[in-house]
Amino acid sequence: MKMQFQTTQSHADPDVIDFGLGHPGDELLPRAILQEAAALRLAQTDASLLQYGWEQGDGYFRHALANFLSSRYHVPVEMEHLFVSAGASQALDLICTLYTQPGDVIFVEEPTYFLALRIFADHRLTVVPAPTDADGLDVDALEEALQRHRPVLLYTIPTHQNPAGFTLPLERRQRLVELAEAHDFLIVADEVYHLLSYDAAPPPPLASFAATGRVLGLGSFSKILAPGLRLGWIQAAPQHMHRLSTSGLLDSGGGLNPFTSGLVRVVLEQGWQDAYLNHLHEVYRQRIDALDSALQEHFEGVVDYARPTGGYFFWLRLPETVDAENLLRAALAHKVGFRPGVRFSGCGDLRNCLRISFAYYAPELLQEGMLRLKRSLESAYPEL
């Protein structure tokens, strides 16, 4: 009998439609592209991708990445401003290691990415939630909070925010950088969803302000190619490149992911990343349509939400009487799951909110999942 072992972080029960899964389904992953990229790169006589890597990251890969980002961001990106990381999460952890000390105050959006809160807890940082509205971070409220706190850094997801989906307007991005300069803190901009824009183009990424020295922009191939690659980047000013590249981690192990970046360089140079990203846009537009239609059919007048224009998620606000963690217990009995809003709160709030992802399932399963969620709500809160 063939032995089977778990190989992936999340396990999708085939009987459960789990809207909590924040990644693409296996059928969307670009196996053929990466097989061809590996064959092309390994056929070359240059074996450098099998050596310890240059600390800032392979120069040929960073050159290809800079060209790709310049085209997609519609603003110039210099390869000298790019540092290769093992995904955005590892980049965030490295930034916390190098730029913070236990007890330091950091600002986060309310709500924010729940697993970033875990990283901040690992570093024993003091998290202060900052208010948001339909356009993202409330910069006026942030300015008031800066009279009471002296943060070392602010963590923001400015484009197609996880979980709330909002996109920070250009004027607020500019003001945020001005506040960082005036109050001497760093902005860590998690921009992994910036390239997943399905309608109008968003404002330029916050990383386009990197020359100020106040912004560290995080990007990743996890959302635009494949999560298992564990390949990302930090875009920042040259003084940050030096600090990142001379850390003990890089002294010991060399540059991060030289093998993977060697393969993805081929994907970029051949234009396959552009084609695959365009394909993802088409697929995710269809899934947004399916989920939006199902929400209107089953939850009209009960759930408040904004149709997302990018990213992976719908952010649902239920009546104040609903506790999403209690609803989740009922939902699992109906073979459907999601992420309760309280997990995205820096202060234990947002209990009547929940996050659902459209990335993993095909439209028919998204619609079936919404029907199950409706039945769950009816069973747990029959008065609604």
Side-chain angles (χ1 to χ4, degrees):
M1 183 175 68
K2 183 179 180 181
M3 299 181 67
Q4 292 187 344
F5 301 99
Q6 186 168 345
T7 60
T8 57
Q9 183 182 39
S10 58
H11 171 69
D13 185 329
D15 294 328
V16 176
I17 298 175
D18 187 359
F19 290 117
L21 297 174
H23 56 81
D26 288 354
E27 81 286 351
L28 271 182
L29 296 175
R31 292 179 58 202
I33 290 174
L34 291 170
Q35 284 175 339
E36 190 164 358
L40 284 174
R41 182 62 185 87
L42 293 172
Q44 298 175 9
T45 57
D46 175 15
S48 61
L49 80 170
L50 300 177
Q51 285 286 6
Y52 289 108
W54 176 249
E55 287 84 350
Q56 191 173 337
D58 175 74
Y60 293 100
F61 168 69
R62 287 187 294 113
H63 181 265
L65 178 60
N67 289 338
F68 170 73
L69 293 177
S70 296
S71 172
R72 286 283 177 169
Y73 284 171
H74 306 293
V75 291
V77 175
E78 303 295 331
M79 63 174 287
E80 291 80 8
H81 293 178
L82 295 173
F83 170 89
V84 178
S85 68
S89 297
Q90 187 274 333
L92 181 60
D93 187 76
L94 180 60
I95 289 168
C96 289
T97 298
L98 296 176
Y99 290 88
T100 72
Q101 297 291 332
D104 280 349
V105 171
I106 65 167
F107 282 1
V108 301
E109 295 159 336
E110 175 74 1
T112 191
Y113 173 44
F114 73 112
L115 294 178
L117 292 173
R118 291 285 305 276
I119 293 173
F120 301 144
D122 287 346
H123 288 272
R124 300 190 296 245
L125 301 175
T126 301
V127 170
V128 176
T132 61
D133 58 25
D135 287 326
L137 191 64
D138 185 335
V139 183
D140 291 331
L142 178 67
E143 189 168 13
E144 292 179 11
L146 286 166
Q147 306 306 313
R148 303 186 300 275
H149 302 281
R150 293 183 59 83
V152 173
L153 60 84
L154 177 145
Y155 172 74
T156 177
I157 310 167
T159 307
H160 310 308
Q161 199 249 18
N162 176 9
F166 50 62
T167 293
L168 197 67
L170 179 58
E171 181 184 358
R172 291 195 189 187
R173 295 175 189 235
Q174 294 168 331
R175 283 194 60 205
L176 182 57
V177 174
E178 291 168 0
L179 287 174
E181 292 177 324
H183 294 269
D184 192 26
F185 64 86
L186 289 175
I187 300 166
V188 179
D190 190 340
E191 309 199 84
V192 298
Y193 300 103
H194 190 94
L195 298 176
L196 293 175
S197 297
Y198 314 130
D199 293 333
L206 264 171
S208 63
F209 295 94
T212 65
R214 291 294 167 184
V215 179
L216 299 167
L218 310 184
S220 176
F221 285 92
S222 294
K223 302 298 186 287
I224 62 172
L225 196 58
L229 295 171
R230 306 314 308 137
L231 182 64
W233 65 89
I234 302 174
Q235 184 178 345
Q239 65 265 33
H240 296 298
M241 293 294 105
H242 176 75
R243 187 166 188 182
L244 293 165
S245 299
T246 56
S247 66
L249 174 68
L250 277 298
D251 278 348
S252 176
L256 299 167
N257 267 357
F259 182 83
T260 304
S261 60
L263 304 190
V264 176
R265 167 193 162 193
V266 175
V267 177
L268 294 170
E269 291 176 342
Q270 296 293 325
W272 299 335
Q273 174 66 84
D274 276 310
Y276 180 67
L277 187 52
N278 291 339
H279 170 65
L280 287 182
H281 286 192
E282 293 178 9
V283 169
Y284 290 148
R285 285 190 191 102
Q286 294 171 2
R287 296 184 179 187
I288 288 174
D289 286 342
L291 202 46
D292 186 34
S293 176
L295 280 165
Q296 292 183 46
E297 179 181 354
H298 299 305
F299 294 94
E300 186 175 6
V302 178
V303 172
D304 182 42
Y305 71 96
R307 177 188 167 99
T309 59
Y312 273 8
F313 308 109
F314 280 70
W315 179 242
L316 309 183
R317 186 176 297 275
L318 295 162
E320 294 289 341
T321 55
V322 175
D323 185 314
E325 288 193 305
N326 179 54
L327 176 60
L328 179 59
R329 287 189 286 272
L332 292 176
H334 287 82
K335 303 294 186 181
V336 64
F338 56 82
R339 292 285 185 268
V342 68
R343 300 185 189 179
F344 302 88
S345 174
C347 56
D349 203 354
L350 306 170
R351 304 199 69 87
N352 64 317
C353 298
L354 56 94
R355 189 198 76 177
I356 55 177
S357 170
F358 55 81
Y360 190 84
Y361 295 104
E364 58 273 15
L365 287 177
L366 294 174
Q367 292 169 331
E368 169 63 22
M370 281 296 98
L371 180 59
R372 296 182 190 182
L373 187 59
K374 176 189 177 183
R375 291 170 179 163
S376 306
L377 186 62
E378 290 172 341
S379 67
Y381 295 92
E383 70 276 11
L384 294 179

